[in-house]
Amino acid sequence: PTEEYENLRRRIYSNTKEIWYYINHELGKLMTEDIKVEKIQAILDQVADRKRSLLSDQQKLPELDGYHEWRQNEAANVSDLIQRRLKYLQNPPDCREARKVICNLNKGCGFGCQLHHIVYCLIFAYATERTLILNSKGWRYNTKGWDYVFEPISDSCTTAYDDKVMPWPVRYDAKVVSLPFIDSISQKPKFLPLAIPKDLAHRIVRFNGDPASWWIGQMLKYILKPRSSMQKAINETIAKMNFKSPIVGVHIRRTDKVGTEAAFHHIHEYMTHVKDYYDQLELTRVVDVRRVYLATDDANVLEDARKKYPQYEVVGDAGIARTAATHRRYTPQSLAGLLLDLRMLSACDHLVCTFSSQVGRVAYEIMQTNRVDASESFFSLDDIYYFGGQNAHDRRAIMSHNAQGKEDISFQVGDLIGVAGNHWNGYGRGTNKRTNLNGLIPWYKTADHLVLYPFPEYKQVPQ
Ligand code: GDP
């Protein structure tokens, strides 16, 4: 390791102690003083600054540890391998004889939800070595079908001919299987998210902090290839925008989502995290303009943001937001706007959104494919990352914990805890699968439990 790396590593260790010295001293003093709000605020500000400095230093670690380039190459290589396997799967030597799975794009939901529907079908296809046939006639975003907007997901195999189609679950090894929506699937296969392929897992974990979403991102990378006319239109719009790094992507999902599937979040809640990002960035570089790319389905939000935050440059298009609103959502025009928003959000340096929205999750999944590791480049105001219809998401206890009160639960090293969410206050909520008790868990004593599934290894495809 270089001298610079060693110094940085020691600095982080020492400054972690410093943060404790500070908190211990200041809170100790408070016990003997009249507690004043201003004093508490001053302590919080100090702690925040010290935290930013620690995080900023830690961000530099992987750049200096000598493996920076290795990680970049490895991420590109594994991604390339998956893309080639998918291409092989989707273009079998003999389409007539190939086993197939049929996926209908008639799910009556938004585009993010439909993309995830195709991802689920493609994972099913990959896991069962079947070519995915996508039926998209009469598609709600473009009645002419998927291939009118995107490159087809196969160049050579797009029909099941007149073979008999068996709906999943099939009792015997049918040649052609059709899939239900993931929400209503019975005998849910273990290979569905958040599982990742066992043969690649040990490569992925070495460069990415959230392999499950990276793997899902790889499916999107294969699926989501706008045709050249659409690509051209997107590029022309981008050229007119002042999209420059540093820039933070903010996705504000309103209209029909609020009150039904998600809580309302004030713009201020998003901007707090944007400010946090820039305050930290400014420790290491000069930021001339604090830029935000704002995507939303509510045009008023853009206007509101520009009025309330004049110190920020808010990039975004009110026209796109207007066509994204509920009543004109399912049109080719609104799809074009959403593709642009997704492209921009995933190209930002950081993303602030709500993972209750599939648009927010898709943006993050694409972001994961755009760089080596985006697992620390976002903040979700509500849910932790998930895939709709996923199998259980567990965390593994890496330290034991004895419940301190009525709300938290005890666990031992190795216990699996089914997680419901993180409260972003140091605690999450979950159920200990050994004791069946549900309650708060100190998040830092647990680690994400990755599910590895023995997917086919596609030995026919060169490594
Ligand atoms: P969810 O309902 O937010 O989970 O995501 P869906 O994609 O299933 O449905 C929401 C739909 O609203 C999208 O497909 C878009 O048509 C529209 N929409 C939501 N947010 C945005 C946005 O930020 N930009 C654009 N252009 N459209 C959006």
Side-chain angles (χ1 to χ4, degrees), residues 65-314:
D65 66 5
Y67 292 108
H68 185 55
E69 222 171 287
W70 180 87
R71 284 189 202 93
Q72 281 183 320
N73 288 334
E74 184 68 351
N77 289 341
V78 182
S79 170
D80 183 56
L81 178 59
I82 295 171
Q83 297 305 311
R84 282 185 289 114
R85 286 179 178 181
L86 288 169
K87 187 163 184 196
Y88 170 83
L89 179 70
Q90 285 306 104
N91 297 282
D94 183 353
C95 178
R96 189 76 189 72
E97 287 310 309
R99 288 151 29 95
K100 301 180 186 78
V101 53
I102 297 192
C103 184
N104 292 313
L105 199 49
N106 59 353
K107 198 168 179 180
C109 57
F111 185 66
C113 161
Q114 295 186 339
L115 275 180
H116 282 138
H117 178 52
I118 308 176
V119 165
Y120 143 71
C121 294
L122 191 58
I123 289 175
F124 189 100
Y126 184 100
T128 59
E129 290 180 276
R130 293 169 178 280
T131 301
L132 171 59
I133 307 289
L134 187 65
N135 285 340
S136 65
K137 229 191 235 134
W139 181 36
R140 74 190 309 186
Y141 276 99
N142 192 315
T143 46
K144 289 178 193 149
W146 174 267
D147 296 355
Y148 198 77
V149 186
F150 300 99
E151 295 295 338
I153 60 162
S154 169
D155 303 320
S156 59
C157 192
T158 52
T159 167
Y161 300 89
D162 46 10
D163 287 339
K164 188 168 161 56
V165 179
M166 304 293 293
W168 175 267
V170 284
R171 250 165 301 155
Y172 58 93
D173 199 27
K175 187 172 169 199
V176 183
V177 174
S178 70
L179 283 183
F181 298 141
I182 196 170
D183 332 67
S184 54
I185 193 170
S186 56
Q187 297 179 31
K188 196 183 279 185
K190 294 233 187 324
F191 53 68
L192 292 183
L194 304 172
I196 59 169
K198 199 171 178 175
D199 67 320
L200 302 175
H202 296 286
R203 294 180 70 182
I204 303 170
V205 293
R206 291 174 76 192
F207 60 79
N208 195 282
D210 185 11
S213 64
W214 187 86
W215 163 244
I216 289 161
Q218 290 306 313
M219 299 296 122
L220 284 176
K221 184 174 174 180
Y222 189 84
I223 297 164
L224 204 54
K225 294 172 185 144
R227 293 184 71 114
S228 60
S229 55
M230 173 62 86
Q231 199 61 61
K232 197 162 153 259
I234 292 175
N235 289 342
E236 279 166 7
T237 317
I238 295 173
K240 284 184 231 139
M241 288 179 163
N242 195 23
F243 189 88
K244 275 192 287 208
S245 181
I247 188 160
V248 178
V250 174
H251 177 234
I252 302 188
R253 179 73 167 92
R254 292 269 166 85
T255 63
D256 57 319
K257 194 83 172 180
V258 174
T260 54
E261 292 177 12
F264 178 89
H265 291 279
H266 195 270
I267 182 143
H268 174 71
E269 295 176 61
Y270 297 85
M271 293 305 286
T272 303
H273 294 278
V274 176
K275 178 179 181 300
D276 246 21
Y277 176 83
Y278 279 116
D279 286 350
Q280 186 172 317
L281 189 65
E282 283 190 335
L283 291 179
T284 51
R285 58 167 286 182
V286 179
V287 176
D288 296 330
V289 187
R290 291 189 166 202
R291 222 171 275 111
V292 166
Y293 183 86
L294 181 52
T296 175
D297 57 341
D298 179 352
N300 299 325
V301 172
L302 263 163
E303 205 179 307
D304 196 35
R306 291 195 172 111
K307 210 161 58 203
K308 285 200 178 104
Y309 295 90
Q311 69 276 37
Y312 285 83
E313 183 183 322
V314 180

Side-chain angles (χ1 to χ4, degrees), residues 6-59:
E6 288 302 294
N7 285 339
L8 186 61
R9 191 173 62 71
R10 293 199 176 90
R11 188 180 132 82
I12 293 167
Y13 192 86
S14 153
N15 284 353
T16 305
K17 289 190 289 183
E18 287 294 326
I19 208 170
W20 166 248
Y21 297 153
Y22 177 77
I23 296 172
N24 187 36
H25 177 74
E26 292 297 331
L27 293 189
K29 265 198 314 194
L30 276 193
M31 285 196 266
T32 61
E33 285 171 9
D34 288 346
I35 298 181
K36 292 211 177 60
V37 175
E38 300 77 36
K39 181 62 198 165
I40 294 175
Q41 187 60 57
I43 296 174
L44 276 178
D45 291 346
Q46 253 296 312
V47 174
D49 204 49
R50 287 163 186 261
K51 175 211 71 168
R52 281 192 291 269
S53 155
L54 276 173
L55 291 181
S56 174
D57 281 351
Q58 285 175 72
Q59 272 178 343

